[in-house]
Amino acid sequence: MTPNSKIFAIVFVAAVLLFIWSCVRRFSLVTIGKPEDRFDNFPARIRDTFLYAFCQKRVLQKPFGINHFVLFWSFMVLLLANIEFVLKGLHHSLSFMLLPAFIHNPIYFLFDLFSLFALVCVIVAGVRRVVAPPYPEAITLDAYVILSMIALLMIAYFNLHGVELAVGEISALMPISAWVGRTFYAGIDLESAHSFINFWWWLHAIVFLVFLNYLPYSKHMHILSSIPNCYFRRFGKANTLPTETFVKGAKFGVETVDQYTWKDLFDSYSCTECGRCQMVCPASNTGKPLNPRKVIHDLKVNLLANGPIIKEGGKPTLPLIGNNGEGSITEDEIWSCTTCGACMEVCPVFIEQMPKILQLRRYLVEMKATFPEELLNLFENMEQRSNPWGIAPTERTKWCSQLNVKPFDASCEYLLYVGCAGAFDSRNKQVTVALAHILDAAGVSYGILGKEELCCGDSLRRLGNEFVFDRMARENVKLFKEKGVKKIITLCPHCFSTLANDYRQYGFEGEVVHHADLIDSLIKQGRLKLKKKVDAGRVVFHDSCYLGRHNDIYESPRSVISQATGKAPIEMDRNRAESFCCGAGGGRMWKEEHLGTRINLERVGEALTKNPDTICVTCPYCMTMFDDGLKDKNADKVMVKDIAEVVAEALQ
Amino acid sequence: MLVVACIKQVPDTTQVKIDPVTNTLVREGIPFIMNPFDTHALEEALRLKDRFGVRVAAVSMGPPNAEMTLRKALSLGADEVVLLSDRAFGGADTLATSMVLAEAVKRLAEKDELALVICGKQTIDGDTAQVGPGIAMRLNLVPLTLVDRIVDLDLAAKTIVVSRKLEARHEIVQSKLPALLTVVREINKPRYPSVPMRLEAQDLPVQLWDNKVMNLDVNKIGLKGSPTAVRKIFSPEREQGEIIGDGMKDPEGTAKLLVEKLVQKELLAL
Ligand SMILES: Cc1cc2nc3c(=O)[nH]c(=O)nc-3n(C[C@H](O)[C@H](O)[C@H](O)COP(=O)(O)OP(=O)(O)OC[C@H]3O[C@@H](n4cnc5c(N)ncnc54)[C@H](O)[C@@H]3O)c2cc1C
Ligand code: SF4
Ligand code: SF4
C-alpha cells in the first residue's frame, strides 16, 4: 500500500526545491574565488576518484575507516532503495517489483542487508564518539542529529517492511524486516497494520526529506562535496605555490576569502571534520594554536559570512585574519605551521590546508610587512648577504679550506650546491666534508660555486616573503644557466625541493639529486666501494618532511644505512609518510618557539623510546633540531649523524 | 613640519678588507647597505610621520649608486629623498660632510618648517660620530646625541624630551625645537617595506642635488674643504692566542688551567 500520493508529491517537490535552493546558494559562493585549472588529467582524475572516493583508499588507512567504508557503500546501495521509495510514493506501481523475481529478490535482499549495515555503523559511530572520540570537539550536536536521522531512517525502513511482510502486503526476501515483522507485528489485524504502515512510511519520508535539507547546512555537506573534491585533487606539488607578478596595484597573498581560488573554497565545504589532520599536525600536537581542521572550518564560516556580501559587491565584514573567533584565523596560528605537509598527506578528501596558510603569510609579509620580530633579521640578511645568518659570502668556502674542491666549471658533471647550513653551520660543515670525501671516492666529477653561491630562498618562500624569494630564484636560475649547470647535488632537502620543484617555475630544467639518492645509486652501481661495516650501534632513522612527504624519497636513505652498517635502521613509530616534523621547516628554524612545548623535544622523545645509539638524518635542519633536543633531554650520548657521515666512515 | 633623516650608504663592513699597500678599503664587489644606525634614524622619523603627520625627507651624500639606499628609504615611507652627489663633494671629511648636509637641510627647510634632524649615532665605516653634531652647530640646532627614546614631543609648544643613553646611566633632557638627534640602535625596531611600497618606490623621484644646485664654495667642500689628512689606516696586529687544554674532553681541568694562567698574568686575584 502507498499513502496519499498527491500530498506526498507536493511535500516532495517542495523539499527538493528547497534542497536545490540551499545547494545553489552555498555552492555558488565558491565562484567568488579566483580561477584555477583543475580540469586537466581527465583519466587520472577518474582513476583517483574511483580509488579515493569510491574505494576510500585514504579513509581505510585508519582502522576506524572501515566503519565509514561500510556506511559509504550502504548509502550508495540505499540511494537506490530511496529512489524506489520516492517513485513508489509518487505512484504505487513504480517499484522494483515490476522486475522479475530473480532480479527483484536479490535487490530487496541487498537493501535489507545494507540497511542493517548502516544501522550498525551509525550505532558504532555514536558509541565511539562517547567512548573514544577521535578528538574532544568531535562530540557535536550536529553529529548526533545526523546519526540519529540515519538510524531513524533504518528503523522506519525495517518496521515498514516488517509490517508489510507480516500481513502479506508484499512478499520479498528481506530476512531482517521479516524478523522485525515476526517479532513485533505477528498476527495484527489489517486495520492496525495499515495505520502502522502509514506511520512508518511517513516517518521514513519525512526523515528522509529533512535529512536531505539538513545536509547542506551541516558538516555532512561533505556527502555532496567530497567526491568532486577527490576528482579535483591536486596533481602537482602543493608546496610549490603559484608565483606572483609584481606590478603596481596588484595584491599579494590572501586577505579576504575571495582571494583564494574556487578550489580552496570548495575544500572548505568538503571537510568531514574527521580530525585526522590535527592528529598528525606537529603544531596541534605541541600545544600551539594552529589546528589545520579549524583553519578549514574557519575558512568555511568566513565564506558563509562574507561570500554573499562579496557577491553583491560589498566589503567583507568578518576579517579572515585576526582575533575574531570562529571564521577568523589568528596570526599565531598562521606562524605556527612548519609546512611539514602531514595534514595534506592524511586528509581523506585531499584538502590542502598548508598552501592556504602560506597564502595568509604572503599577505602579512608582503602587504602588511607584519611578522614575528625574529624574522626581520632573517629577511634583511637574506636580501643583503643571501644567507640566513648574514655571514659574509666569502666564508662560503671555509668548509673546504683543507680539501681540494674545485670551483664549478663546464668540465664538471655536477654542481655541488652546498647550501647555507652546509657552508656556514659548524656541525653541518662536517656533513659537507663527508659528502666531498664520498664524491671523491666514487670519482664523481663536481665543483662548487663558492662565494658566488646564493641561498635557494626556501625559508623565504615558506614564510610568505615571495617578493624576495622571486628575486633570489631568478638570480640563481640565471647563475646556473650562465655557468652551464645541468646536474645539481644538494645536501639539504629544502634546497633539493626548492631547486627541483620551485625553480621549474623559473625555467630551470636541470636534474637535481639529494645526496641520499646519489649515494644509494653510487653504491648500487659499484662506483662507491665501502671498505667496512660501520658500527653505529642501534641506528634510528628520521624521515625529513621535505625529502619524504614532499618528494617521496623514503627508501634510498634506508638502503644507504643498511649498506653502510650492515643492518636495516630501526623505524620510529611514526615513519615514512607518517613521519613527525623536527620543527624547523617552513622558516620555523629562524623563529623562537614561544607557544606550547617544543616540537623537536616531542620527536627526540619518540626516537629515544627506541633506545638508539645513533639517530640518522638527511637534513641540516633536522640535524640541528635533534642535536638541540638531545642536549635538552640530557641524552647527548646519542649521536646525530647525517647518512653521509656514516657512509664516509665506511670508506676508511 | 619637516623631519630630515640623514642616511649614509656604507660598505657592508663585515665583508670589508683593508688593502695593506694603499691603506684604503678594498671596495670591489662589496655590497653597500644603509648604515645600520641610520635605519633607526629613518625609522624614528617615519614613526613621527605616523604619529604626527610630519613630512619626512631623507638626504644622503655619496656616489650616484647611493640612489639605491635612498630608494629603500622611499619604500619605507619617506616623502622626499635627496641625493647629494657631485665630484666636488668627494673626499670630504666630517667637516666638509656636515657642511654639505647642513646646507641641504637648509634648502629643504625653505618649503616647510624644520622640527628635527635625525642622524645615526655613527657610521660603521667612518665611525667618527661627528657629522650629526657638525650639522647641529652649523644650523644652530640643539644637538641631542645618543638618544634611545623620544619621551615626549610637542610640536605646537616646540619642545622635545628625550632619553640619552650614556655609560651606565640615562639622562632625560628637555630641549626646544628645532633640534638634532643622533640615535642609538635601542631606540626602535626598523620596519620592513611592504611590496606595494617597494613597487611604488621604483618610480618615485630621487632628487639629485649637485653643486650646480647647491652652489657651495668649492674650497669649503670635498677634498679641498677637508683639513683632515689620512696618514695611515691599518688593522691593529693582534698576537695569536694560545689554546689551553681540551675543553671538550676535560672541561674541569681546562677551567683550572685557565684560572691559573689568569692568576699568573695578574688578571685575576684569588
Ligand atoms: C680617517 C678617515 C679617513 C677618511 N678618508 C676618506 C677619503 O679619503 N675619502 C672619502 O670619501 N671619505 C673618507 N672618509 C670618510 C668621511 O670622512 C666620512 O665618512 C664622512 O665624513 C662621514 O663621517 P662618518 O662616516 O664618521 O660619519 P659619522 O659622523 O659617524 O656619522 C654620524 C651620522 O651622520 C650622518 N651622516 C654621515 N655621513 C653622511 C653622509 N655622507 N650622508 C648623509 N648622512 C651622513 C648619518 O646619519 C650618520 O649616522 C674618511 C674617514 C676617516 C675617519
Ligand atoms: S603543514 Fe604540518 S604544521 Fe602545517 S598545518 Fe599541516 S600538519 Fe600542521
Ligand atoms: S581537513 Fe581533511 S583531514 Fe582535516 S578534518 Fe577535514 S577532512 Fe579530516
Side-chain angles (χ1 to χ4, degrees):
Chain A
M1 95 136 241
T2 24
N4 193 321
S5 301
K6 282 203 191 79
I7 295 180
F8 177 65
I10 294 166
V11 174
F12 174 73
V13 170
V16 167
L17 287 177
L18 186 63
F19 170 72
I20 292 172
W21 178 75
S22 299
C23 286
V24 169
R25 218 168 52 129
R26 293 229 146 176
F27 284 111
S28 68
L29 290 184
V30 307
T31 59
I32 66 169
K34 292 199 288 194
E36 181 181 2
D37 183 15
R38 295 283 180 112
F39 297 90
D40 53 348
N41 267 329
F42 180 70
R45 291 193 184 282
I46 293 293
R47 178 201 65 207
D48 282 3
T49 309
F50 175 73
L51 265 180
Y52 293 99
F54 291 100
C55 299
Q56 309 243 297
K57 198 171 158 198
R58 279 199 173 179
V59 175
L60 287 169
Q61 271 161 5
K62 289 270 170 198
F64 213 83
I66 187 80
N67 199 58
H68 187 274
F69 178 82
V70 174
L71 191 58
F72 172 83
W73 276 104
S74 306
F75 263 64
M76 284 291 152
V77 172
L78 297 179
L79 191 63
L80 266 186
N82 279 291
I83 290 172
E84 187 211 29
F85 178 86
V86 168
L87 290 177
K88 205 171 159 193
L90 295 173
H91 194 278
H92 62 89
S93 69
L94 296 171
S95 89
F96 288 116
M97 285 295 179
L98 292 175
L99 302 170
F102 75 96
I103 300 179
H104 79 231
N105 266 334
I107 291 181
Y108 286 115
F109 176 74
L110 282 180
F111 288 170
D112 211 40
L113 193 65
F114 276 93
S115 298
L116 180 67
F117 287 164
L119 184 59
V120 172
C121 285
V122 294
I123 292 171
V124 171
V127 172
R128 178 198 187 205
R129 270 178 177 70
V130 179
V131 187
Y135 56 97
E137 310 90 305
I139 313 173
T140 57
L141 185 63
D142 183 31
Y144 278 106
V145 168
I146 283 284
L147 290 176
S148 320
M149 278 203 260
I150 301 171
L152 215 54
L153 273 177
M154 301 308 137
I155 291 167
Y157 187 87
F158 288 135
N159 277 288
L160 172 63
H161 295 96
V163 192
E164 287 182 328
L165 287 166
V167 295
E169 187 102 359
I170 54 166
S171 77
L173 187 58
M174 300 176 85
I176 298 129
S177 298
W179 176 83
V180 171
R182 276 198 309 279
T183 313
F184 299 104
Y185 305 103
I188 63 166
D189 61 78
L190 215 56
E191 200 175 327
S192 15
H194 278 169
S195 23
F196 272 122
I197 289 172
N198 233 326
F199 170 76
W200 289 118
W201 195 95
W202 276 107
L203 185 73
H204 188 280
I206 287 164
V207 174
F208 174 68
L209 295 176
V210 168
F211 180 77
L212 194 67
N213 278 288
Y214 185 67
L215 273 190
Y217 298 97
S218 82
K219 73 163 190 152
H220 284 73
M221 190 173 184
H222 81 263
I223 292 179
L224 307 168
S225 51
S226 56
I227 297 175
N229 214 52
C230 288
Y231 178 83
F232 290 121
R233 69 168 292 196
R234 178 189 294 277
F235 283 102
K237 305 258 175 200
N239 199 22
T240 305
L241 257 60
T243 54
E244 290 181 330
T245 313
F246 297 101
V247 291
K248 265 204 252 179
K251 293 202 168 123
F252 308 104
V254 165
E255 178 195 13
T256 51
V257 276
D258 54 319
Q259 290 171 319
Y260 277 124
T261 72
W262 68 268
K263 178 58 176 54
D264 285 319
L265 303 181
F266 199 79
D267 270 1
S268 78
Y269 284 161
S270 311
C271 178
T272 69
E273 309 205 354
C274 68
R276 290 186 184 191
C277 51
Q278 80 187 64
M279 281 180 263
V280 296
C281 172
S284 313
N285 272 281
T286 54
K288 295 178 182 50
L290 171 64
N291 175 340
R293 173 186 58 84
K294 210 188 127 285
V295 168
I296 300 304
H297 177 76
D298 285 331
L299 175 56
K300 175 174 167 178
V301 172
N302 196 287
L303 175 62
L304 293 176
N306 291 328
I309 304 173
I310 294 173
K311 249 181 115 184
E312 300 296 315
K315 284 227 173 307
T317 48
L318 175 64
L320 183 59
I321 302 177
N323 236 330
N324 305 284
E326 217 185 358
S328 291
I329 302 163
T330 66
E331 292 187 23
D332 277 339
E333 290 175 69
I334 295 168
W335 293 113
S336 291
C337 176
T338 71
T339 71
C340 72
C343 48
M344 300 185 293
E345 187 75 26
V346 295
C347 180
V349 293
F350 292 94
I351 286 169
E352 294 155 27
Q353 301 89 337
M354 186 255 272
K356 296 186 191 20
I357 298 172
L358 295 195
Q359 289 287 8
L360 300 173
R361 285 187 179 179
R362 281 186 174 182
Y363 168 75
L364 288 175
V365 173
E366 297 191 299
M367 298 298 288
K368 302 286 281 186
T370 49
F371 40 78
E373 256 181 41
E374 311 92 283
L375 297 183
L376 182 65
N377 256 336
L378 174 80
F379 290 166
E380 297 280 0
N381 288 338
M382 287 288 201
E383 269 189 84
Q384 280 167 18
R385 308 204 185 127
S386 201
N387 71 75
W389 295 279
I391 299 172
T394 43
E395 312 252 308
R396 278 206 186 258
T397 47
K398 271 207 165 161
W399 67 273
C400 60
S401 56
Q402 313 288 326
L403 303 173
N404 191 14
V405 177
K406 69 172 192 172
F408 180 87
D409 60 37
S411 70
C412 300
E413 182 184 0
Y414 284 102
L415 165 68
L416 174 59
Y417 184 84
V418 180
C420 300
F424 298 119
D425 178 77
S426 55
R427 177 66 189 87
N428 283 299
K429 278 197 266 188
Q430 298 168 353
V431 179
T432 319
V433 171
L435 182 62
H437 284 314
I438 294 170
L439 297 178
D440 289 339
V444 175
S445 141
Y446 72 98
I448 58 170
L449 291 173
K451 69 176 199 293
E452 285 182 83
E453 189 179 290
L454 302 169
C455 175
C456 68
D458 162 75
S459 290
L460 290 177
R461 192 162 225 202
R462 318 304 161 210
L463 285 168
N465 196 336
E466 186 69 8
F467 182 79
V468 180
F469 169 79
D470 184 82
R471 222 161 50 192
M472 290 171 78
R474 282 176 207 284
E475 283 173 19
N476 267 310
V477 169
K478 191 165 147 248
L479 187 65
F480 294 159
K481 283 192 175 154
E482 278 167 12
K483 298 259 174 194
V485 175
K486 300 262 159 23
K487 293 178 174 184
I488 301 181
I489 306 167
T490 68
L491 283 134
C492 167
H494 296 265
C495 300
F496 172 75
S497 199
T498 307
L499 266 51
N501 306 323
D502 300 65
Y503 281 16
R504 299 280 175 250
Q505 296 173 321
Y506 293 89
F508 178 63
E509 308 270 312
E511 175 189 324
V512 186
V513 59
H514 181 269
H515 68 277
D517 271 352
L518 182 72
I519 297 173
D520 189 39
S521 68
L522 290 175
I523 298 176
K524 285 182 176 152
Q525 290 162 15
R527 283 176 69 186
L528 187 66
K529 302 226 166 16
L530 305 182
K531 299 211 179 94
K532 65 171 189 208
K533 297 281 179 227
V534 176
D535 181 13
R538 289 171 60 82
V539 178
V540 162
F541 178 67
H542 162 78
D543 286 279
S544 136
C545 308
Y546 273 67
L547 201 58
R549 266 192 300 271
H550 287 311
N551 289 294
D552 292 317
I553 299 177
Y554 296 112
E555 298 315 322
S556 65
R558 289 176 166 78
S559 147
V560 168
I561 295 169
S562 303
Q563 293 174 83
T565 64
K567 280 183 293 219
I570 297 159
E571 296 293 350
M572 286 205 225
D573 292 341
R574 291 176 282 187
N575 61 61
R576 291 191 171 80
E578 286 167 26
S579 176
F580 191 76
C581 180
C582 72
R588 294 275 337 175
M589 178 78 184
W590 318 109
K591 225 186 131 305
E592 298 295 329
E593 224 173 311
H594 298 298
L595 304 167
T597 55
R598 280 174 36 209
I599 296 173
N600 65 333
L601 293 184
E602 160 108 10
R603 185 59 166 167
V604 168
E606 184 182 350
L608 289 179
T609 61
K610 302 288 165 193
N611 284 320
D613 298 300
T614 306
I615 298 173
C616 260
V617 296
T618 54
C619 170
Y621 291 168
C622 298
M623 172 74 87
T624 305
M625 293 318 247
F626 273 90
D627 249 350
D628 289 354
L630 286 170
K631 278 190 201 118
D632 288 345
K633 292 226 167 213
N634 283 324
D636 23 14
K637 289 215 170 52
V638 181
M639 308 277 283
V640 190
K641 284 192 178 157
D642 190 280
I643 56 167
E645 294 179 295
V646 180
V647 173
E649 272 180 58
L651 297 174
Q652 286 162 6
Chain B
M1 290 293 242
L2 173 71
V3 173
V4 180
C6 297
I7 56 179
K8 185 182 179 188
Q9 173 167 299
V10 295
D12 188 347
T13 48
T14 53
Q15 303 186 34
V16 166
K17 295 209 168 58
I18 291 176
D19 186 323
V21 182
T22 58
N23 279 339
T24 53
L25 302 179
V26 184
R27 292 189 177 227
E28 214 176 49
I30 303 293
F32 286 97
I33 58 174
M34 191 187 292
N35 178 37
F37 289 99
D38 301 355
T39 61
H40 297 275
L42 178 62
E43 174 65 28
E44 203 55 28
L46 294 172
R47 288 188 184 192
L48 296 178
K49 174 179 170 179
D50 295 345
R51 270 174 64 197
F52 301 106
V54 298
R55 243 166 59 80
V56 171
V59 288
S60 183
M61 185 175 95
N65 72 9
E67 182 190 329
M68 197 187 70
T69 296
L70 285 170
R71 248 184 226 298
K72 179 152 191 208
L74 281 172
S75 73
L76 290 167
D79 298 298
E80 176 175 6
V81 297
V82 176
L83 172 62
L84 301 160
S85 194
D86 194 310
R87 280 187 182 278
F89 300 157
D93 67 2
T94 58
L95 199 70
T97 303
S98 55
M99 162 88 184
V100 179
L101 288 172
E103 290 300 320
V105 172
K106 238 190 242 167
R107 280 183 70 92
L108 284 165
E110 281 167 11
K111 292 181 279 184
D112 230 333
E113 189 185 348
L114 181 70
L116 285 171
V117 177
I118 309 183
C119 291
K121 172 191 141 204
Q122 68 193 72
T123 59
I124 58 166
D125 62 341
D127 270 317
T128 66
Q130 292 172 356
V131 171
I135 300 171
M137 289 302 108
R138 289 172 188 280
L139 295 177
N140 205 13
L141 307 175
V142 184
L144 301 168
T145 54
L146 306 176
V147 171
D148 71 351
R149 192 157 58 95
I150 295 181
V151 181
D152 189 37
L153 177 68
D154 190 335
L155 288 174
K158 300 209 174 148
T159 56
I160 187 168
V161 180
V162 299
S163 153
R164 299 182 61 223
K165 187 178 176 251
L166 307 177
E167 262 177 49
R169 68 199 159 95
H170 278 82
E171 194 177 82
I172 309 284
V173 292
Q174 186 177 23
S175 149
K176 56 184 183 36
L177 297 180
L180 180 139
L181 316 185
T182 77
V183 300
V184 296
R185 288 175 192 245
E186 290 78 3
I187 191 165
N188 56 38
K189 286 226 176 278
R191 67 192 63 191
Y192 190 72
S194 73
V195 175
M197 292 281 274
R198 285 193 206 234
L199 297 174
E200 205 64 47
Q202 280 172 2
D203 299 336
L204 290 177
V206 173
Q207 299 176 62
L208 176 72
W209 290 359
D210 55 13
N211 205 31
K212 279 200 218 88
V213 179
M214 297 296 289
N215 205 9
L216 302 174
D217 178 352
V218 287
N219 292 311
K220 289 196 175 153
I221 55 172
L223 202 54
K224 281 192 193 157
S226 298
T228 316
V230 181
R231 295 270 302 278
K232 187 175 180 188
I233 303 182
F234 61 94
S235 323
E237 293 282 326
R238 260 204 293 166
E239 267 180 56
Q240 189 71 47
E242 169 191 4
I243 295 173
I244 305 171
D246 185 345
M248 290 303 274
K249 291 219 174 90
D250 178 20
E252 272 179 43
T254 311
K256 242 190 214 136
L257 271 175
L258 178 65
V259 172
E260 277 165 24
K261 280 259 172 205
L262 293 173
V263 173
Q264 238 175 44
K265 290 193 184 257
E266 294 184 354
L267 290 165
L268 200 70
L270 285 180

